[in-house]
Amino acid sequence: TNNEEMVKMYHRVEACVCQNPSRLMHNEKGEAYIPSIPFSEMLECLKVFCDRADIVIIDPITKLDCDLTGGKKHEQEEQFVKGLKAIAESTDTHIMMIGHTNKRSKYNGKEANLAIDDIAGSVAWNRFCQYIFLLDYHEEREAEATVGIGMRKQVKHKRTLHVSKVNEGSGKGQRLAFDFVSGPNMAELGWIKYEDN
């Protein structure tokens, strides 16, 4: 209803959106790549970003490289997590760190349940997190899902989002069914009922 107010709001949002620094970066072979960044340098960036953003996404956390600064990996990760926690609390910013599962060549293409050693990263991340979201890629499955305000229906899906409670988080063990709607775009199909409920 107020165009001037909308423009002001847009500029406030625009000021909080940071551009992806790795976009259109290419190596000497012309291949797109994401450069690694030292833990200490990332903390300095976060001091700037978190001061003006509500949410910061680090994707992927495996590009935070301890080899660029030297020292023991677990000590650097722990120091980074402590710094990250202090920045998040002092700026009231939500920080989402995205990791990827390790290559699962040991299963020779067979589908197997994810195990803790499939997750990239160390226990330092676990101690910092309140929630872990894990998007599981699998063959098409059928499950009973709750949608809307309690309606249940059978859904077929190829992706499952697992929500794990860690430390002070809530909502332990939730599962959400997702599937593709067009191209790479996915839609939530509903909350999956556990077999033992």
Side-chain angles (χ1 to χ4, degrees):
T1 55
N2 187 331
N3 288 338
E4 190 177 334
E5 189 59 34
M6 284 296 294
V7 170
K8 285 180 183 175
M9 187 176 75
Y10 169 78
H11 286 300
R12 283 201 302 273
V13 172
E14 185 183 39
C16 293
V17 176
C18 304
Q19 289 194 7
N20 181 349
S22 65
R23 183 169 291 154
L24 302 179
M25 294 188 78
H26 297 85
N27 60 19
E28 58 278 359
K29 295 179 184 176
E31 301 165 332
Y33 79 108
I34 301 172
S36 293
I37 182 171
F39 286 104
S40 54
E41 195 174 315
M42 190 67 205
L43 279 178
E44 291 305 311
C45 289
L46 287 169
K47 287 176 185 174
V48 176
F49 295 160
C50 291
D51 199 40
R52 67 177 203 250
D54 293 322
I55 300 171
V56 172
I57 300 171
I58 302 173
D59 178 18
I61 57 172
T62 46
K63 284 298 178 178
L64 297 171
D65 195 347
C66 64
D67 293 334
L68 297 174
T69 46
K72 294 179 181 176
K73 182 180 180 183
H74 70 278
E75 289 176 356
Q76 285 197 56
E77 283 183 344
E78 194 158 331
Q79 188 177 358
F80 173 75
V81 165
K82 285 178 181 175
L84 200 67
K85 189 170 186 282
I87 292 169
E89 287 176 348
S90 64
T91 58
D92 200 24
T93 300
H94 297 280
I95 298 175
M96 180 183 288
M97 297 190 291
I98 299 175
H100 300 277
T101 52
N102 296 319
K103 297 285 185 271
R104 313 188 80 215
S105 53
K106 62 184 176 183
Y107 298 112
N108 297 322
K110 295 176 184 173
E111 194 173 333
N113 289 333
L114 285 163
I116 194 66
D117 62 349
D118 290 314
I119 310 300
S122 78
V123 291
W125 309 122
N126 192 309
R127 286 202 302 271
F128 169 70
C129 288
Q130 288 186 317
Y131 307 93
I132 292 176
F133 298 89
L134 181 64
L135 184 62
D136 190 10
Y137 287 49
H138 48 73
E139 295 299 318
E140 187 171 78
R141 294 177 184 167
E142 191 167 334
E144 184 180 68
T146 303
V147 295
I149 54 170
M151 185 181 74
R152 291 182 180 169
K153 67 175 186 177
Q154 291 295 118
V155 297
K156 292 181 179 179
H157 62 108
K158 294 182 180 178
R159 302 288 183 267
T160 304
L161 182 70
H162 298 263
V163 182
S164 175
K165 172 184 179 292
V166 185
N167 300 328
E168 302 302 319
S170 61
K172 178 180 180 179
Q174 301 295 313
R175 290 186 300 161
L176 296 171
F178 281 81
D179 211 352
F180 295 99
V181 286
S182 64
N185 299 319
M186 290 191 293
E188 181 186 327
L189 302 180
W191 170 70
I192 301 172
K193 180 180 182 293
Y194 274 107
E195 293 78 7
D196 59 353
N197 277 0

